[in-house]
Amino acid sequence: MNPNDVLITFPELLIWFPLLSGLIAFFLVKGNSAKQWAVISSFITVAIVAASFFFTDKNYFHFNNVSYVWMPSIGSSFALMYDGMGRMLCLLTALAFPLAFLTTYNTSYSKPNNFYGLMLLSQTGLMGVFCAMDALVFYFFWELAIIPIYFLASQWGGEKRIQATFKFFVYTFAASLLLMVGIIYVYLHTPDSSFSIHSFLKAKLPPGGEKLVFWLFFAAFAVKMPLFPFHTWQPDAYEQATAPVTMILSGVMVKMGVFALIRWLIPVFPYATGLFTNIVIGLSVAGMVYASCVAWVQDDLKRLVAYSSIVHVGLMCAAVFAGNQSGTEGVMLQMFNHGINIIGLWIVVELIEKHFGTRKISELGGIASSAPVLTVFLVIIALANIALPLTNAFVGEFLMFNGLFVYGKWTAAIALTTIILSAVYTLNMVQKVFYGNTNSLTALGAGMVKGSAAAALTVVVIIILLLGVYPKLLLDLTKDTVNVFMNRIMGL
């Protein structure tokens, strides 16, 4: 294949198309035109990602890689690569937006053109993060993904959205500054004064400097996941944000942090990683137990799902730092599967809140008798959330716990307690909200799942069952990324 025959690569398409779509949405001020455009463009993005799966062979290298001059004076090029992990996370990103838009299609937002324009700009940033192969480009898209979310969370949402957004801003702004300082430090120690990831991998860092910069990068990524104890912005932000924003934050944006550990942190700082692995895994497992206990006592559905997400992300972080193939393969699976499952939970929570006007578990009950279809969807998604066999999360969690067991038996044993806790708070929520006695509020649950929301939940459940039976689809897609990662940390 002649590189000159390729007019535009898939990474470029996945960045420029959402960017152009978002800019167009800002000018669609009449009626539902911005909403309709956002839905249509999000489906086109899904189609682009789907088409890219026909071009995964190495013979199509020039369809999946691009690098052109951006800022040559400082050694930065607009370099993008579409490997297995990036392709998987771009697929998750592409799916998340139409699911969010369909679920809330009947919801009206003030200034819808601004709302949907900002949502699509955030999608642009996410796609760029997952494809960037230049540290400065990575940082640019990292910020582009976050900034629209700040405006979305502050302008649309609950009564306390300003306070929640301010906390979110403080955490993310501080994390971004740390990341920028760390990037500049590594850049100054590259052999060719370049921001390329290949130059970062060859950087000659003094041991003391590497240890310090490791924590700068780690703190930035830990805030985004979020990982205990950097998590305190998350429950408030999830609670106050509108449903589409919450779905993107928890379903996709937390993966930015996990992805960055695999792509940037551990490969660039192997010496410091070896020194601090025990600390990071200790924090991760402690956070899993803590978040599980807090989720157990929640009466608010949004906060319960938020703390549940912290548990899953903590396990992913611990498994990555365990430094073995089993744990890494499990993380690859779980990044995608957690995104699908958590979005499914948010769809159910949104339908309940919109129909009954409350998220309080204590005020609900017996929904199964008036909304049996929603109950079926919820039970399948809830069972996936606790990694029941034949659901998509089972194989990923099994591999991650196996990786932790290889790292340390007692560490794995402590982490395994969260499986029990997860089953307790998840099934307890299902029992109290959907079963038991129907009250005057929940007796009117007929017709909750219909139209676009039903379509969104159907897609989620199909993915849960398909990947539960055949996880090899994702394992094959990401095996090259896993091999490269393992070779790097083993010094090969």
Side-chain angles (χ1 to χ4, degrees), residues 48-87:
I48 293 171
V49 175
S52 74
F53 281 83
F54 293 97
F55 298 88
T56 58
D57 191 89
K58 292 180 180 179
N59 294 328
Y60 298 112
F61 175 87
H62 297 292
F63 284 85
N64 301 306
N65 294 265
V66 65
S67 179
Y68 48 83
V69 175
W70 191 30
M71 289 185 283
S73 61
I74 58 173
S76 179
S77 60
F78 199 82
L80 306 171
M81 181 180 73
Y82 200 42
D83 67 346
M85 179 169 62
R87 197 182 305 268

Side-chain angles (χ1 to χ4, degrees), residues 283-302:
L283 284 174
S284 301
V285 174
M288 290 170 62
V289 176
Y290 161 78
S292 296
C293 293
V294 176
W296 192 351
V297 298
Q298 292 303 309
D299 190 44
D300 186 293
L301 284 171
K302 274 194 169 184

